[in-house]
Amino acid sequence: MIIAIDGPAGSGKSTIAKFIAKKLNYSYIDTGAMYRAVAWSADNEGIDLDDENTVGQWTEKLKIEFITDPEGQQIKVNGANATGLLKNEVVGRGAAKVAAQKKVREILVAKQQEIGRSGNVVMDGRDIGTQVFPNAELKIFMDADAEERGKRRYLELKAKNMDVDLENIIAEIKQRDLEDRNRTISPLRPADDAIKIDTTKFTIEEVIDQVMEKIKLKQNS
Ligand code: DC
């Protein structure tokens, strides 16, 4: 089974996707990390992220590997472990920029389809149910109020001892929503056949229960 989990930043999709993948013994693919890997590595290489041609050529050559180990998923970019280096707002802003570029999306979507081809995968992102796997057996679209998503991201970063400001994070989340929802290519939107879950008022455990319920229904159908 391919399980597609889409939604905006901070909707809780990666927490849920990781948990579900572990429970089902499926692979988990965080496609946002792939866009982040492109932005991070291209920037390190001194490439201007607005230069679509050069970013496209760079993406074509880039080697991205996911390694699942008991400590959680690791990501290697051109052989170097980049796991702890991608989840910050500077890389996030770069990722939003390259994610709006046609060539980058073509290359990464093809990679994601290749990874998912053997099945038994939980993939999270923005366009998994609409573009990457339009025939996925189960599609979930998770959303939550921007304020609540900001609060979650704030607590997550704070727990990593990062110096963060809640109002700034909420403003950044709203800005990213605008960019992700309004870009021309593959804008963030639920697939017509996605099950929508608003996680604003639910705990992680409650959302996991809801998703597991949907999976069981699919498995028995
Ligand atoms: O989920 P995230 O914050 O790690 O995603 C980083 C950026 O990549 C975000 O701006 C949206 C973009 N993205 C995308 O366009 N398509 C995906 N499948 C995953 C992420």
Side-chain angles (χ1 to χ4, degrees), residues 98-137:
V98 301
Q101 298 173 9
K102 187 162 176 272
K103 187 85 187 151
V104 171
R105 295 206 76 86
E106 273 171 15
I107 297 165
L108 294 191
V109 166
K111 275 190 207 286
Q112 291 152 14
Q113 289 169 334
E114 180 62 39
I115 297 171
R117 194 149 295 150
S118 45
N120 288 0
V121 64
V122 182
M123 201 171 273
D124 78 21
R126 304 292 193 285
D127 60 341
I128 311 305
T130 53
Q131 301 291 328
V132 183
F133 288 109
N135 297 323
E137 283 81 1

Side-chain angles (χ1 to χ4, degrees), residues 141-153:
F141 190 89
M142 298 199 353
D143 207 346
D145 292 351
E147 279 71 21
E148 174 63 23
R149 288 187 281 128
K151 209 160 79 190
R152 290 176 189 168
R153 186 54 58 94

Side-chain angles (χ1 to χ4, degrees), residues 154-196:
Y154 170 82
L155 292 173
E156 192 184 323
L157 297 176
K158 202 83 185 146
K160 290 181 187 158
N161 289 324
M162 288 168 81
D163 184 20
V164 279
D165 174 76
L166 178 60
E167 291 311 314
N168 265 345
I169 291 185
I170 293 174
E172 278 162 1
I173 283 211
K174 287 183 175 169
Q175 177 60 30
R176 185 89 69 78
D177 281 359
L178 263 181
E179 289 166 7
D180 288 347
R181 290 181 205 267
N182 294 312
R183 68 175 176 229
T184 329
I185 317 165
S186 303
L188 170 67
R189 66 167 183 83
D192 293 338
D193 52 349
I195 295 163
K196 299 187 190 83

